[in-house]
């Protein structure tokens, strides 16, 4: 069986790494990875952490590229790789432009598609944009669907996908998180080096970890988030650490509003290892990231989601996350409540992680092998 995994961004690499590792060394499998490098620098960080060495690197990133440019180049590039590698299956993950382009390229070449993290839906094609449409279109091109939860599987069934083509696996990000956490716990020199990297943090203060990069928040949302963070940091005994996304608009906005403020630390995007360390150390997390909504519950950390919708309603239903929108007053209200109301904090921190047990990659690997 010949399997080609295609990815282009940091989150895809994190979530596909356990799957690639599961196929590595399996008898009867020839596996290859293809990266589009949709996000070059942030992708390379994760490749190093998981020791991934892609056989094909399209290196498509150019400054200021548009969605249509990256989509067209990715389709053409993946088609060339498919022609060369001749896979039986193309695996894609999530809802990125790379994932959609790779699925469409596979369809053009009449190659079967396996979609990892299938079935996530907000019900609004403009939120998140363009990811919601990407994931819906990928669903139409997929042969084998791997939803992380029962809710995601039900979304697929409601759209007409046959149940025999669906396997609920849990989310592979939990597999990745277990692997990274084990490294941090067992590799003392590594852990000490990462702790030293954040020696500027005050252990006596509660830490708020922030991420923000969604396109839907670029038109005013990031400003609202920054205004909230400035107020929170000034009015409470806390520290804020914000790894700022490399998107130029995010960089300029965040640094204009939060640079040189006491108790707010703006840092460059982090490798996955130190980011996991910060999630574990944080008191709470403010984010628009889908992956963080899945990861943080493993560390019993409340998540405030700076979006109006989420394709991960399981986190909201379980009580591990709360939608607060990209609205300064709402963010300040919910953060302050969690800082001052111990019962409210404990209710979110003690909720169970609904996204799996760390065996998703094994299930996907064994399922694909059973189909050959």
């Amino acid at each position: 069986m010949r399997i080609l995994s295609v990815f282009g961004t940091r989150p895809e690499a994190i979530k596909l790494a356990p799957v690639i590792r599961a196929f590595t060394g399996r008898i009867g499998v020839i596996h290859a990875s293809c990266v589009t490098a949709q996000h070059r620098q942030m992708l390379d960080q994760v490749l190093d952490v998981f020791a991934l060495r892609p056989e094909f690197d399209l290196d498509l990133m150019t400054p200021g590229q548009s969605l249509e440019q990256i989509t067209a180049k990715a389709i053409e590039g993946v088609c060339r790789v498919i022609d060369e590698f001749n896979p039986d299956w193309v695996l894609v993950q999530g809802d990125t432009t790379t994932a959609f382009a790779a699925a469409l390229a596979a369809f053009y070449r009449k190659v079967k598609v396996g979609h990892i993290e299938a079935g996530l839906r907000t019900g609004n094609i403009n939120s998140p944009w363009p990811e919601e449409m990407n994931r819906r279109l990928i669903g139409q091109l997929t042969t084998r669907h791997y939803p992380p939860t029962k809710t995601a599987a039900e979304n697929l069934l409601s759209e007409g996908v046959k149940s025999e083509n669906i396997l609920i696996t849990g989310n592979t990000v939990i597999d990745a998180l277990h692997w990274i956490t084990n490294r941090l716990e067992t590799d003392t020199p590594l852990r000490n080096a990462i702790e030293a990297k954040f020696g500027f943090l005050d252990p006596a203060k509660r830490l708020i970890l922030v991420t923000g990069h969604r396109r839907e928040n670029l038109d005013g949302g990031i400003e609202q988030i920054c205004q909230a963070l400035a107020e929170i940091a000034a009015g409470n005994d806390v520290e804020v650490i914000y790894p700022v996304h490399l998107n130029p608009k995010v960089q300029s906005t965040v640094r204009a509003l939060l640079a040189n403020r006491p108790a707010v630390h703006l840092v460059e995007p982090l490798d996955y290892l130190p980011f996991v360390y910060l999630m574990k150390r944080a008191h709470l997390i403010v984010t628009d990231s889908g992956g963080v909504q899945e990861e943080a519950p493993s560390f019993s950390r409340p998540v405030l989601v700076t979006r109006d919708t989420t394709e991960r309603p399981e986190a909201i239903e379980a009580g591990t996350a709360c939608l607060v929108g990209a609205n300064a007053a709402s963010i300040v209200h919910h953060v302050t409540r969690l800082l001052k109301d111990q019962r409210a904090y404990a209710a979110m921190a003690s909720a169970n992680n609904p996204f799996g047990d760390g065996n998703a990659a094994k299930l996907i690997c064994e399922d694909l092998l059973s189909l050959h």
Side-chain angles (χ1 to χ4, degrees):
M1 176 180 274
R2 301 176 69 85
I3 299 172
L4 178 69
S5 295
V6 184
F7 53 103
T9 67
R10 165 185 161 136
E12 289 170 286
I14 292 168
K15 293 180 177 183
L16 273 173
V19 179
I20 294 170
R21 292 169 66 88
F23 281 117
T24 301
R26 291 295 293 258
I27 296 173
V29 175
I30 299 175
H31 179 276
S33 297
C34 170
V35 295
T36 64
Q38 180 180 335
H39 294 162
R40 176 82 270 172
Q41 183 177 342
M42 298 173 76
L43 170 67
D44 287 347
Q45 293 173 354
V46 177
L47 295 180
D48 290 340
V49 168
F50 288 97
L52 300 178
R53 298 293 178 263
E55 287 78 7
F56 302 96
D57 190 337
L58 302 182
D59 196 22
L60 299 182
M61 184 176 181
T62 57
Q65 64 191 353
S66 65
L67 280 175
E68 61 267 25
Q69 288 171 329
I70 186 65
T71 303
K73 290 190 291 184
I75 292 170
E76 292 175 350
V78 175
C79 279
R80 290 195 300 270
V81 172
I82 291 174
D83 291 342
E84 179 177 346
F85 183 66
N86 192 31
D88 299 296
W89 287 85
V90 168
L91 293 182
V92 299
Q93 197 284 326
D95 51 25
T96 66
T97 300
T98 286
F100 166 59
L104 187 56
F107 173 75
Y108 286 162
R109 291 297 188 261
K110 298 185 178 180
V111 176
K112 291 174 287 188
V113 174
H115 186 199
I116 298 166
E117 200 179 79
L120 277 63
R121 299 288 187 271
T122 65
N124 180 351
I125 62 172
N126 294 310
S127 179
W129 184 89
E131 289 85 0
E132 175 74 4
M133 182 56 76
N134 283 343
R135 62 173 74 107
R136 293 193 194 191
L137 295 172
I138 294 169
Q140 297 299 309
L141 301 166
T142 294
T143 305
R144 194 68 173 155
H145 305 257
Y146 296 111
T149 64
K150 181 181 178 182
T151 298
E154 289 171 348
N155 290 337
L156 294 170
L157 290 169
S158 70
E159 294 172 1
V161 177
K162 295 181 179 179
S163 59
E164 58 264 31
N165 294 327
I166 298 172
L167 177 66
I168 300 173
T169 62
N171 199 298
T172 58
V173 77
I174 306 303
D175 303 39
L177 194 66
H178 286 185
W179 188 79
I180 291 295
T181 302
N182 182 65
R183 281 193 65 188
L184 289 171
E185 292 174 349
T186 59
D187 190 333
T188 301
L190 174 65
R191 184 175 65 254
N192 290 342
I194 293 176
E195 289 175 348
K197 181 181 179 75
F198 299 106
F200 57 85
L201 295 175
D202 185 348
K205 292 185 176 182
R206 289 173 291 183
L207 182 65
I208 299 174
L209 173 61
V210 179
T211 73
H213 70 279
R214 288 278 186 180
R215 289 179 185 269
E216 66 196 82
N217 281 337
L218 294 185
D219 188 18
I222 296 295
E223 288 93 335
Q224 289 284 309
I225 294 167
C226 290
Q227 290 170 15
L229 295 175
E231 182 176 344
I232 291 163
N236 296 277
D237 188 25
V238 299
E239 281 187 302
V240 173
I241 187 164
Y242 188 165
V244 186
H245 196 276
L246 293 175
N247 182 299
K249 189 168 184 179
V250 176
Q251 284 276 334
S252 62
T253 302
V254 172
R255 296 192 182 280
L257 294 173
L258 292 178
N260 302 316
R261 286 185 177 271
V264 176
H265 305 285
L266 305 180
V267 299
E268 294 300 311
L270 298 171
D271 293 351
Y272 192 52
L273 274 164
F275 188 76
V276 170
Y277 167 82
L278 285 178
M279 281 197 293
K280 192 172 182 179
R281 178 167 174 171
H283 183 70
L284 63 90
I285 300 172
V286 178
T287 186
D288 61 10
S289 164
V292 174
Q293 293 175 57
E294 299 157 347
E295 296 163 322
S298 293
F299 298 123
S300 300
R301 299 297 180 263
V303 179
L304 299 180
V305 184
T306 54
R307 295 170 57 190
D308 296 322
T309 60
T310 179
E311 55 288 300
R312 293 163 175 86
E314 299 90 346
I316 308 300
E317 293 164 4
T320 65
C322 177
L323 282 173
V324 300
N327 175 276
S330 176
I331 296 167
V332 170
H333 168 76
H334 284 89
V335 169
T336 302
R337 178 170 176 261
L338 289 175
L339 291 175
K340 295 184 177 180
D341 187 335
Q342 293 184 356
R343 286 188 177 181
Y345 182 89
M348 292 188 72
S350 62
N352 292 324
N353 189 339
F355 294 108
D357 57 6
N359 289 308
K362 180 181 178 182
L363 289 173
I364 292 166
C365 178
E366 293 180 349
D367 181 68
L368 274 183
L369 291 175
S370 74
L371 299 174
H372 189 57

